[in-house]
Amino acid sequence: MLKQKGKWTVGSLVGHLWSVAGKDSRADFSTTNLQPFISYTTKTAWTFSLNTESTYEWKSETWNVPIHIQATKLVRLGKQPVSVGGALRCWAASGPGGPQWCGFRILFTPLFPKK
């Protein structure tokens, strides 16, 4: 779900995955995914966003919470519109042996608008 008002977009993607069948040798899992986001787009086609791609694993009672601060720019490669940018990714929480500290993402998204 999302809501757009003017230059702002706010929303969230929510999902849940769980095992229901398969080999007995595989561990069962039950994972909730939460991806709230907020973004602001300027008149010059820059978009600044804050989001997380959090997961909670119910079997191990473990949170994984990366927080992303990103900037992207809408440009054209020939006639093809693309969004390019980068994001700082810092971990607010992660399970045992999981990621720590911060990293960087490079973003490249081809866009295919309706004609």
Side-chain angles (χ1 to χ4, degrees):
M1 69 181 164
L2 67 86
K3 170 77 174 171
Q4 289 184 301
K5 185 163 183 160
K7 299 175 186 212
W8 290 93
T9 304
V10 178
S12 185
L13 176 63
V14 178
H16 187 83
L17 302 169
W18 63 94
S19 53
V20 294
K23 295 181 179 180
D24 290 336
S25 61
R26 287 193 213 146
D28 288 339
F29 64 90
S30 179
T31 304
T32 299
N33 304 294
L34 306 170
Q35 296 181 24
F37 58 87
I38 184 169
S39 66
Y40 178 82
T41 303
T42 70
K43 290 180 182 180
T44 57
W46 279 95
T47 300
F48 301 96
S49 305
L50 176 66
N51 78 308
T52 182
E53 297 170 0
S54 301
T55 60
Y56 183 73
E57 175 50 53
W58 292 89
K59 301 287 182 183
S60 63
E61 299 181 347
T62 305
W63 276 105
N64 288 296
V65 183
I67 297 173
H68 306 111
I69 300 169
Q70 65 187 38
T72 57
K73 172 76 170 143
L74 181 62
V75 298
R76 289 191 181 273
L77 295 179
K79 293 184 177 183
Q80 179 67 49
V82 297
S83 176
V84 295
L88 177 65
R89 179 182 208 180
C90 296
W91 291 88
S94 66
Q100 304 291 321
W101 305 103
C102 295
F104 189 74
R105 281 183 162 181
I106 296 172
L107 306 164
F108 178 86
T109 309
L111 303 170
F112 301 95
K114 289 183 180 181
K115 294 184 180 196

